[in-house]
Amino acid sequence: PALSRDVTLAMQELGMPGGVFTVTLEAAETPTSMGLDAIGFLVAGHPGATPRPISKVASGGELSRISLAIAVTTSQLGSIPTLIFDEVDSGVGGAVADTVGKLLRCLGEDRQVLAVTHLPQVAARAHHHLLVEKSRGKTTTSQVRPLPKADRVRELARMLGGEKITDTSLAHASELLHAAALPLGTP
């Protein structure tokens, strides 16, 4: 019940207002290598929906955000050294994206968190920013490189405004980075 309640509360901040997460625990028909119980995760993504098995009703973005809610909720219970999120911010923007970034940053305080994102609100909250670039020729290759602060501002500006980087997008990117560096809860 506590996990169901806490994950449901976290979902409200992650772009699923009115969503519900429920953990079910039933005796398995026969013992399995996983034990004597059958554990189920049920979810309703919006108000009025009946919780159903997560694998049947959650989109990829919802699965990512629910996994983030579970990770945040249970982060104090274990010591998993690395968490990886692939586009956990899919289908969100604005304030929800900023909340996702804050939650990822909180998780990163005591463990390594790797997150693939296309949203500047999320990228700005990271302790470090790695840029993944693809080169296309006869074959496609990828290069990953860390961004120093000056390059990070330019990349966030590109994420905000596209290929043409303006003084306005640079100022906004700089502001995002400044706000991200403040302690959480600071207005």
Side-chain angles (χ1 to χ4, degrees), residues 103-140:
L103 290 173
L104 290 170
R105 187 174 179 92
C106 281
L107 284 173
E109 293 297 330
D110 60 0
R111 71 197 74 222
Q112 180 178 21
V113 174
L114 302 174
V116 175
T117 184
H118 297 281
L119 295 180
Q121 298 95 326
V122 175
R125 293 280 177 184
H127 290 98
H128 303 280
H129 191 148
L130 303 174
L131 178 65
V132 178
E133 295 176 300
K134 289 186 179 181
S135 301
R136 290 177 171 63
K138 288 184 180 180
T139 61
T140 301

Side-chain angles (χ1 to χ4, degrees), residues 41 43 52-58 63:
F41 291 162
V43 68
R52 296 185 41 219
I54 196 168
S55 62
K56 303 283 186 198
V57 296
L63 284 172

Side-chain angles (χ1 to χ4, degrees), residues 87-186:
E87 298 187 17
V88 69
D89 51 19
S90 176
V92 303
V96 174
D98 191 49
T99 299
V100 170
K102 287 177 185 176
L103 290 173
L104 290 170
R105 187 174 179 92
C106 281
L107 284 173
E109 293 297 330
D110 60 0
R111 71 197 74 222
Q112 180 178 21
V113 174
L114 302 174
V116 175
T117 184
H118 297 281
L119 295 180
Q121 298 95 326
V122 175
R125 293 280 177 184
H127 290 98
H128 303 280
H129 191 148
L130 303 174
L131 178 65
V132 178
E133 295 176 300
K134 289 186 179 181
S135 301
R136 290 177 171 63
K138 288 184 180 180
T139 61
T140 301
T141 59
S142 297
Q143 176 184 346
V144 180
R145 63 182 172 91
L147 295 178
K149 186 173 181 179
D151 290 346
R152 192 168 178 197
V153 170
R154 290 192 66 74
E155 176 58 16
L156 289 172
R158 188 200 60 76
M159 293 170 82
L160 286 162
E163 290 301 318
K164 184 178 182 199
I165 296 173
T166 65
D167 290 341
T168 302
S169 62
L170 285 168
H172 189 189
S174 185
E175 184 180 323
L176 274 175
L177 274 178
H178 174 72
L182 296 173
L184 294 176
T186 303

Side-chain angles (χ1 to χ4, degrees), residues 7 24 29 36 39 43 51 56 60 65 68 73 159 170-171 180 183:
V7 172
T24 61
E29 291 182 23
L36 299 173
I39 300 170
V43 68
K56 303 283 186 198
R65 284 179 275 149
L68 176 59
T73 300
M159 293 170 82
L170 285 168

